[in-house]
Amino acid sequence: MLLNPEGSPCQGRYSNKPNDTLNHNYESGKCIYCGEPEIAYAVTIPATVELGNAANATATISAENVTLPTDKTLKVTVNGPFTATLVGTTDVTAHYTIKNGSTALESGDPVLTAKNGESPKIPLTFGKPDAAPYAGSYTGTVTFTVSVGTPTI
């Protein structure tokens, strides 16, 4: 038996015990008691983005096979700081920009949202700094957070 990872009780089940929480029982992707879909999705985030000497590089963040209850939304956020460090050093950094279309993203900004049945693909642009402190190769890490929750208005 699979339990709903969100922990919400199944409204299609009944118990004579007043404080008894009854979980969903999923088979074939739906609760056999109330029909609520099981939470499932596949999010793809590239492992690397090579900036190189180009002014911008792109990477596509996508979600597929999104199966969620109607009151839930899948959200992918980007977390900063967006800095790269000169290889061989620990204190020489360059700030780069990540854009969704023409909008520059800040730490915690949503990159992608999806509801049940949606399969969005969002291209992000990674812009290298206008002037790095020193010539050479820089490397850095961008962290994304994937969550399922109640949509915010």
Side-chain angles (χ1 to χ4, degrees), residues 3-84:
L3 301 179
N4 182 339
E6 296 298 309
S8 64
C10 177
Q11 301 301 312
R13 297 180 73 182
Y14 175 78
S15 174
N16 286 327
K17 298 176 186 175
N19 294 327
D20 200 7
T21 300
L22 299 171
N23 292 309
H24 299 275
N25 183 349
Y26 294 106
E27 289 182 12
S28 301
K30 290 191 178 218
C31 177
I32 62 173
Y33 299 109
C34 71
E36 178 179 84
E38 184 175 13
I39 293 175
Y41 52 85
V43 172
T44 303
I45 300 169
T48 60
V49 176
E50 183 70 38
L51 293 177
N53 289 324
N56 297 305
T58 60
T60 299
I61 311 299
S62 64
E64 297 177 293
N65 304 317
V66 177
T67 305
L68 299 171
T70 56
D71 65 337
K72 301 292 181 197
T73 299
L74 173 69
K75 182 165 70 170
V76 178
T77 57
V78 63
N79 302 297
F82 310 135
T83 56

Side-chain angles (χ1 to χ4, degrees), residues 83-101:
T83 56
T85 304
L86 180 64
V87 174
T89 71
T90 58
D91 60 345
V92 178
T93 61
H95 182 77
Y96 54 96
T97 305
I98 302 173
K99 289 185 178 181
N100 182 349

